Amino acid sequence: MKKNCLIILLGLLFFSHPSTAKNQDNVTVNVKNITGVVFHDSNKNGIRDQGEKGLRGMLVSNGDTIVVTDKKGRYLLPAIEGGSIMPILPADYTMTGSNVVNANFHYMREGLSEDKTIDIPLQKKEINHRFLLNAVGDVQVGNYQELDYATRTLWPELLSTPETTINLFLGDLVNNNLSLYRDLRTLMEQLPSPTWTVLGNHDRDVDSVRWRQYRSYSEMFGSDMYAFNEGKVHFIILNNVYGVGPRGYEGFLSDRQLNFVRQDLKYVPKSHLIVLSMHIPFAYTKNRQYLLHLLKDRGHVLAITGHLHQVGRFFQQGAGLSIHELGAGASCGFWWVGEKDGEGIPHALQQGGTPRNYFVVEFDNNKYQFRCKAIGQDPQKQMTIHVTGIDTLDTHLRDLKDIPPATLMITIYGGCDSTQVRCRLDRGDWIVCKKANLVDPNVARAREQNLQKIFPTPFNRMNPLRKRESHQLWTLELPEQYRHGAHVVEVEAHDAYGFHATGTRSFCFLPDK
């Protein structure tokens, strides 16, 4: 504890007078003192009442520096404009206030002219060593019609999840329409489970200078970067949407965020699983090598990202480090476009063949497994199994016409090059399927009808699917005895990174003449 007290004492000495500091984009701003107490809010009213004790040893950050509270729960930090005052929650505490937990952080607006006191109310909670995470990519609503699509399809599923679930929205909450933030946050607060959010490229004040592009988001959702613990899992949420010009961006991590991670990792036990989350895939982040260096010797790390509007899996290696990245796809699919179903919801099929989706990650201490959840479909629907030569439409699709009839085409929602796929027919022996570089059959259908000017039909918007090979497709040419009559096929897919999926279907060919 002496070391912790020394940190705070040094802070008091250094920040006892106004000075200057650099924010994440090297803009010089005035620095003021932020002091306060992290306390146990026993009556859950958000106010430090008489008798509510300060909490010793809690981590508090301004988005750059991390300090530890003293024996009375006190902390001191410099306020950095564009940063936020926030605790790094341990696994046995949560915050009083909004169910969108990071919305309870205190964003530091421009023009702070005097010292400020911010007390931080925390509540005790059970430590969940086993819990579920709903990883929800790109809701990306641009108007109230699209918000209605989300509330009629995604929200009913999230509203019915168990209490030991966390929702993590992976950025692009809106599609440039920041006026939707308040209602979207209210809808998130209706969910029964704690919710956290990530900033995406469409969530910015794009007409502002770079360091202010995150202002509206942070005012509504507390901070664009933070960390927290659940069970034996440590989550680090970063903003890798780095503004280039008034509207452009690239995947890049600022020095301030790297400094935050550097300090944060000092407090994370080696026995804990680290989960990184950001909007743009880590694999497409220009200066990811610096983060790889900071994570040296951390063993297996999971990254969960959005942005691509298709499911993807990526792998990065470092010294004593292996990062498995799940690109979680988009809950809006291909931007809420495509032919509408019987209830008026756009199909919005994603490139690669995955329907609108999110992922469910199941954590057990520092281990995990995961599965894709197709929105509006049975939880067991984890793949598409297509048999060529039955539907006569196949012969009219330019992307499928060269594929032999009686070929199984299996699109595994979440599969990757490391995934092993096998099937068996009529409960016979298991047969290994072959990874294929082909266009998904459902994508091929929609694309052909676009090219034939059949789509879009009236009152719909065209889904602009491209001729692009699916990264999650396997094939098997059926043996001769299964090319006539009725049969059933079972499919299993798994890999060493926590992925497992199963599927089954019956099919029937015309009998031999």
Side-chain angles (χ1 to χ4, degrees), residues 136-153:
V136 184
D138 299 57
V139 182
Q140 202 157 343
V141 291
N143 51 50
Y144 278 90
Q145 177 68 77
E146 294 176 351
L147 188 60
D148 183 61
Y149 295 153
T151 58
R152 286 196 284 145
T153 57

Side-chain angles (χ1 to χ4, degrees), residues 146-267:
E146 294 176 351
L147 188 60
D148 183 61
Y149 295 153
T151 58
R152 286 196 284 145
T153 57
L154 172 63
W155 250 251
E157 298 192 10
L158 300 183
L159 283 165
S160 63
T161 53
E163 291 184 1
T164 55
T165 300
I166 295 173
N167 303 307
L168 178 60
F169 286 82
L170 299 168
D172 279 1
L173 309 179
V174 300
N175 194 4
N176 302 321
N177 186 352
L178 307 190
S179 67
L180 295 171
Y181 271 162
R182 187 166 298 281
D183 287 328
L184 184 59
R185 175 177 146 180
T186 300
L187 288 166
M188 291 177 177
E189 289 171 336
Q190 295 171 356
L191 300 176
S193 305
T195 294
W196 304 82
T197 65
V198 176
L199 179 138
N201 53 289
H202 289 282
D203 297 326
R204 301 173 298 150
D205 300 278
V206 292
D207 56 346
S208 301
V209 296
R210 183 187 297 128
W211 74 281
R212 293 180 178 173
Q213 288 187 359
Y214 321 123
R215 177 174 51 188
S216 292
Y217 173 89
S218 295
E219 286 179 343
M220 185 59 62
F221 296 102
S223 178
D224 62 337
M225 54 169 291
Y226 52 90
F228 67 95
N229 296 277
E230 190 71 28
K232 295 187 73 172
V233 183
H234 183 74
F235 291 87
I236 302 175
I237 312 301
L238 299 173
N239 170 16
N240 66 341
V241 181
Y242 196 79
V244 178
R247 292 185 177 272
Y249 63 91
E250 62 185 5
F252 191 86
L253 292 165
S254 68
D255 290 343
R256 195 178 85 185
Q257 293 187 86
L258 293 171
N259 188 45
F260 172 80
V261 173
R262 181 183 299 107
Q263 295 177 73
D264 177 58
L265 290 174
K266 296 176 183 178
Y267 302 99

Side-chain angles (χ1 to χ4, degrees), residues 35-83:
T35 59
V37 175
V38 179
F39 68 96
H40 180 208
D41 185 16
S42 56
N43 62 4
K44 302 180 181 180
N45 68 352
I47 301 170
R48 190 182 181 206
D49 299 309
Q50 186 173 1
E52 292 185 328
K53 295 183 178 180
L55 296 172
R56 175 180 184 169
M58 293 290 176
L59 302 179
V60 185
S61 179
N62 60 2
D64 177 271
T65 304
I66 297 174
V67 296
V68 184
T69 58
D70 68 9
K71 64 182 180 180
K72 294 186 177 180
R74 298 176 299 187
Y75 73 91
L76 181 144
L77 282 165
I80 299 178
E81 292 179 337

